[in-house]
């Protein structure tokens, strides 16, 4: 078997999940509000030892990202499909959970002299999650930025799975979700080095690596992951890649407008992005340069590869069609007229309703 | 290697700097790095191919018992004391002793399904405790309860001194080896140098079993 086939060889057999869950993030709808990050934090990473964890994070692009400069750290596979050398990101690069000088300000009688401010472990913090938020690049009036939400990509060829000497990370047969078994994990952190997207965190209290779990306990009950369900911009589509009628399949394979991030890392990620459109640049007289989008195409190619040009062109054409009053299946899919049915058809259950029913059953059973 | 029996309190034996250790016979145990070809994943093989594995090249070993407890003392030179996991790339120093449950279990693979091994593992960030592991081949080690191994460590003038202490017999616990006076048991050693990124199978180890004979 050639190594670049989807799936992984274990004991001489190709391991592939029966189905693959995936997400599509429409970057044109991302508000940069971080509700996804808070939803995830509230649901999963509130315990001691997890303070600095953001299993879903929203970065401003162009920017250094989370962890800082993750795109330069290596990991994944080279063109010969060998593991690329890589770094384990440091806590400060991910961003620490800052402690604040509450005592000094509120109880130390210095309320009028001292500002409330974070106090880093090594003095004043020099970096944090989203430190460079909304900075972007370019010069006025042609400055630009866009938001890039990132989670574990639940890759089809997960570098973390291949790196772990304990077999503690598995890709689930039924839906392709990649999970760390915390009972088998011994905190060796080879996975953190191997993951090219640097979406794995280390919990020093549990001596475990931890990451996005695609909200599998919710998904198993037909409820969308917390980040997707809580997204006010309704930009996170969730579904099985092989569900030909579902929005995820349609956007990735039929319309070909949803693209993986840094596919050159070789891990075959299962999160896909609708690339961001942008207004035209302005010349020195303030005249619109209609053919020159504000976000440089070469920058988008560096993230999403060559196919980004065709994807953006397709989006523009379909917008023109819609403006003329014609029907556009693609735009109708992206608009999501009926939530949640149109955005995660298989995961439309309301968790509050499920909780109510469960409580009722419990009362009825007594 | 002979394990003399002395009537000394367990508390004293547990102290890495106790005077009694200066009188105890000590053996030099040469260590080698684990071979890169034997690392269990391609990622580790590829990314550690150019790095020297097994930075600690020898330890001094001595052992005593008092009829109730056995104490195993390891000492080695280490200019870098790594005793925390404060940052994601910090790995603590560590040491382990390993015994076959029976016969001649394969040492380099940490036992096999047919011949499992017992390893006592101390880590510099977990002073006071050594974890009892059962392993039946690569990547299979699991921590078990009930062995109650005490580890005391001291880092002084560029040297680690670690004492593992356990009752000779742990009645009713079949996940740890049993000792008895007059008995001979095989032992092997491993040391992890944290500053060299050593963890898991990246370590220095004694490539042969030694024999412990309890007086």
């Amino acid at each position: 078997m050639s190594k670049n086939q989807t799936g992984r060889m274990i004991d001489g057999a190709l391991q592939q999940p029966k189905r693959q869950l995936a997400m599509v993030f429409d970057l044109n709808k991302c508000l940069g509000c971080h509700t996804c990050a808070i939803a995830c934090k509230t649901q999963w990473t509130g315990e001691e030892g997890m303070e600095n964890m953001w299993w879903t994070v929203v970065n401003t692009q162009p920017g250094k990202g989370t962890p800082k400069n993750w795109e330069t750290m290596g990991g994944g596979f080279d063109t010969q499909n060998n593991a690329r050398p890589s770094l384990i990101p440091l806590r400060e690069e991910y961003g620490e959970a800052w402690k604040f000088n509450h005592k000094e300000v509120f109880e130390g009688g210095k309320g009028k002299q001292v500002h409330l401010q974070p106090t880093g472990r090594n003095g004043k913090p020099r970096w944090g999650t989203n430190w460079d938020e909304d900075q972007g690049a370019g010069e006025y009036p042609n400055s630009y930025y866009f938001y890039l939400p990132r989670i574990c990509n639940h890759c089809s060829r997960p570098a973390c799975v291949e790196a772990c000497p304990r077999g503690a990370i598995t890709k689930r047969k039924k839906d392709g979700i990649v999970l760390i078994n915390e009972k088998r994990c011994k905190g060796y952190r080879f996975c953190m080095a191997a993951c090219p997207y640097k979406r794995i965190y280390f919990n020093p209290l549990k001596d475990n690596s931890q990451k996005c779990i695609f909200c599998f306990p919710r998904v198993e009950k037909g409820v969308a992951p917390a980040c997707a369900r809580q997204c006010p911009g309704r930009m996170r589509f969730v579904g099985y890649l092989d569900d030909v009628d579902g929005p995820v399949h349609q956007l990735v394979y039929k319309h070909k407008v949803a693209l993986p991030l840094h596919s050159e890392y070789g891990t075959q990620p299962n999160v896909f992005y609708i690339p961001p459109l942008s207004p035209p640049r302005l010349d020195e007289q303030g005249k619109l340069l209609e053919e020159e989008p504000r976000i440089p195409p070469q920058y988008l190619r560096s993230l999403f590869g060559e196919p980004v040009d065709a994807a953006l062109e397709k989006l523009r054409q379909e917008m023109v069609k819609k403006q003329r009053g014609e029907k556009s299946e693609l735009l109708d899919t992206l608009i999501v007229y009926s939530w949640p049915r149109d955005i995660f058809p298989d995961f439309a259950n309301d968790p509050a309703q499920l909780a109510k029913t469960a409580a009722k059953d419990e009362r009825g059973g007594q | 290697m002979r394990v003399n029996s002395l009537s000394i309190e367990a508390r004293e034996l547990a102290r890495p700097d106790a005077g009694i250790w200066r009188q105890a016979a000590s053996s030099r145990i040469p260590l080698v790095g684990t071979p890169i070809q034997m690392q269990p994943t391609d990622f580790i093989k590829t990314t550690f191919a150019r790095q020297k594995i097994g930075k600690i090249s020898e330890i001094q070993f001595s052992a005593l018992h008092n009829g109730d407890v056995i104490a195993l003392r390891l000492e080695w030179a280490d200019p870098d004391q790594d005793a925390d996991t404060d940052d994601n790339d910090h790995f603590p120093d560590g040491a382990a002793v390993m015994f076959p449950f029976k016969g001649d279990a394969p040492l380099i693979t940490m036992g096999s399904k047919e011949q499992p091994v017992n390893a006592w593992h101390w880590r510099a960030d977990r002073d006071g405790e050594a974890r009892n592991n059962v392993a039946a081949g690569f990547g299979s080690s699991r921590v078990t309860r009930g062995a109650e191994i005490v580890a005391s460590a001291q880092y002084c003038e560029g040297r680690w001194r670690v004492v593992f202490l356990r009752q000779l017999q742990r009645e009713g616990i079949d996940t740890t080896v049993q000792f008895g006076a007059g008995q001979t048991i095989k032992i092997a050693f491993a040391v992890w140098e944290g500053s060299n990124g050593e963890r898991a199978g990246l370590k220095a180890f004694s490539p042969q079993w030694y024999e412990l004979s309890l007086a």
Side-chain angles (χ1 to χ4, degrees):
Chain A
M1 191 200 85
S2 82
K3 269 178 161 182
N4 57 5
Q5 209 169 326
T6 300
R8 182 188 180 223
M9 293 290 285
I10 297 176
D11 297 334
L14 180 65
Q15 307 290 316
Q16 263 179 319
K18 288 196 180 80
R19 303 189 82 185
Q20 177 66 54
L21 269 174
M23 288 205 206
V24 170
F25 295 171
D26 183 353
L27 298 186
N28 294 298
K29 290 165 94 183
C30 183
L31 314 169
C33 68
H34 305 283
T35 307
C36 51
I38 297 298
C40 176
K41 184 95 206 149
T42 309
Q43 181 106 53
W44 300 117
T45 62
E47 284 174 26
E48 218 182 321
M50 303 173 103
E51 293 90 344
N52 73 331
M53 291 190 196
W54 298 97
W55 290 353
T56 179
V57 69
V58 183
N59 289 145
T60 296
Q61 303 298 131
K64 293 189 172 70
T66 308
K68 184 185 186 179
N69 294 325
W70 64 273
E71 288 163 292
T72 66
M73 288 180 176
F77 306 98
D78 64 19
T79 47
Q80 268 76 53
N81 285 306
N82 297 313
R84 285 202 306 166
S86 178
L87 298 171
I88 297 175
L90 306 179
R91 285 183 70 90
E92 194 182 33
E93 289 167 336
Y94 283 96
E96 291 277 10
W98 296 333
K99 291 196 165 55
F100 286 77
N101 58 337
H102 289 112
K103 267 216 150 90
E104 187 182 26
V105 173
F106 295 116
E107 296 164 34
K110 288 193 185 167
K112 286 185 179 165
Q113 294 98 52
V114 194
H115 289 294
L116 188 67
Q117 56 192 317
T119 54
R121 277 199 309 177
N122 314 312
K124 212 170 173 185
R126 287 164 298 175
W127 186 255
T129 308
N130 288 310
W131 187 269
D132 56 0
E133 179 161 52
D134 289 1
Q135 283 182 12
E139 288 297 321
Y140 176 84
N142 290 313
S143 45
Y144 62 93
Y145 68 78
F146 61 93
Y147 297 114
L148 185 78
R150 302 203 309 116
I151 61 173
C152 162
N153 284 295
H154 298 276
C155 301
S156 289
R157 193 182 171 205
C160 57
V161 172
E162 297 200 13
C164 179
R166 302 208 20 104
I169 313 181
T170 48
K171 187 162 177 68
R172 296 215 301 193
K173 263 244 142 18
K174 61 176 171 184
D175 52 21
I177 294 177
V178 175
L179 292 176
I180 300 173
N181 178 342
E182 292 185 2
K183 286 193 183 135
R184 289 217 47 81
C185 173
K186 283 199 168 184
Y188 294 146
R189 291 162 264 170
F190 294 110
C191 57
M192 292 174 73
C195 173
Y197 298 96
K198 304 302 175 198
R199 288 285 75 224
I200 306 178
Y201 290 81
F202 178 60
N203 183 328
L205 292 187
K206 290 184 93 169
D207 205 10
N208 272 164
S209 293
Q210 295 179 314
K211 66 165 197 74
C212 159
I213 57 173
F214 211 97
C215 283
F216 75 89
R218 290 168 65 106
V219 160
E220 285 170 4
K221 293 196 179 317
V223 177
C227 61
R229 193 175 167 93
Q230 299 302 322
C231 175
R234 296 183 177 175
M235 55 76 79
R236 292 185 178 224
F237 296 81
V238 184
Y240 292 100
L241 269 181
D242 64 355
D243 174 11
V244 292
D245 298 323
V248 167
H249 180 95
Q250 298 251 323
L251 294 167
V252 174
Y253 294 118
K254 187 176 176 192
H255 303 299
K256 298 186 170 56
V257 292
L259 306 168
L261 175 64
H262 287 305
S263 60
E264 74 277 14
Y265 293 168
T267 62
Q268 303 169 27
N270 287 304
V271 174
F272 301 85
Y273 295 89
I274 310 283
L277 291 157
S278 57
R281 287 170 56 83
L282 294 165
D283 69 10
E284 279 162 15
Q285 280 76 46
K287 219 175 96 215
L288 291 175
L289 301 165
E290 295 288 355
E291 298 301 311
E292 292 181 35
R294 192 88 68 83
I295 303 175
Q298 66 270 26
Y299 178 64
L300 292 177
R301 279 181 222 127
S302 76
L303 298 177
F304 304 111
E306 299 292 330
V308 77
D309 293 335
L312 287 169
E313 186 50 33
K314 172 106 181 174
L315 289 169
R316 280 191 286 264
Q317 284 170 7
E318 294 292 311
M319 282 170 74
V320 170
K321 258 165 76 178
K322 194 83 179 169
Q323 281 157 3
R324 285 201 302 254
E326 292 167 27
K327 187 165 171 53
S328 163
E329 194 186 274
L330 168 56
L331 282 200
D332 286 354
T333 303
L334 289 173
I335 286 167
V336 184
Y337 283 104
S338 175
W339 184 96
R341 199 192 59 206
D342 291 351
I343 189 161
F344 22 79
D346 291 322
F347 305 99
N349 284 345
D350 177 357
Q353 201 55 47
L354 288 183
K356 266 187 218 159
T357 313
K360 213 171 176 182
D361 288 350
E362 208 167 277
R363 279 199 303 275
Q366 276 170 0
Chain B
M1 298 183 291
R2 195 174 155 80
V3 185
N4 281 328
S5 176
L6 298 172
S7 79
I8 282 183
E9 277 189 50
R11 226 181 10 200
E12 192 63 10
L13 286 174
R15 278 181 42 213
D17 58 346
I20 189 69
W21 291 113
R22 279 198 290 276
Q23 296 153 34
S26 157
S27 310
R28 177 182 164 269
I29 312 279
L31 305 178
V32 298
T34 41
I36 190 77
Q37 311 87 302
M38 292 197 70
Q39 297 301 327
T41 69
D42 280 349
F43 177 80
I44 300 174
K45 281 182 201 159
T46 311
T47 54
F48 286 85
R50 287 199 191 88
Q51 188 173 331
K52 172 163 170 54
I53 300 166
K55 214 170 172 193
I56 304 301
S57 58
E58 63 174 51
I59 58 168
Q60 287 293 327
F61 172 71
S62 31
L64 292 168
H65 78 92
N66 67 4
D68 178 36
V69 299
I70 183 165
L72 310 172
R73 184 180 184 273
L74 283 62
E75 176 174 342
W76 68 97
D78 175 4
D80 305 296
Q81 182 191 14
D82 306 288
D84 66 62
T85 50
D86 275 3
D87 212 332
N88 298 329
D89 67 341
H90 288 192
F91 295 93
D93 296 331
V97 288
M98 187 167 87
F99 314 91
F101 276 104
K102 53 176 189 200
D104 248 333
L107 187 156
I108 199 159
T109 57
M110 287 185 73
S112 64
K113 272 189 183 138
E114 296 72 33
Q115 296 193 301
V117 294
N118 177 210
W120 303 357
H121 180 209
W122 162 83
R123 251 174 47 175
D125 61 330
R126 296 185 192 136
D127 195 19
E129 169 201 30
R131 296 195 176 168
N132 188 75
N133 283 264
V134 176
F138 272 138
S140 70
S141 71
R142 66 188 168 87
V143 176
T144 68
R145 291 179 191 281
E148 295 187 13
I149 307 154
V150 176
S152 320
Q154 185 193 65
Y155 184 84
C156 186
E157 292 170 351
R159 294 182 80 79
W160 273 115
R161 298 175 180 94
V162 179
V163 174
F164 293 92
L165 187 93
R166 210 204 70 185
Q167 284 179 312
L168 290 168
Q169 294 285 319
R170 289 296 304 151
E171 234 171 272
I173 307 290
D174 59 3
T175 50
T176 194
V177 289
Q178 308 290 343
F179 300 92
Q183 186 198 20
T184 296
I185 189 165
K186 288 194 168 71
I187 185 170
F189 306 87
V191 175
W192 288 262
E193 174 49 38
S195 68
N196 194 36
E198 292 179 15
R199 74 272 199 196
L202 302 171
K203 64 193 172 196
F205 77 114
S206 65
Q208 65 174 85
W209 294 109
Y210 292 82
E211 287 198 339
L212 279 185
S213 303
L214 277 70

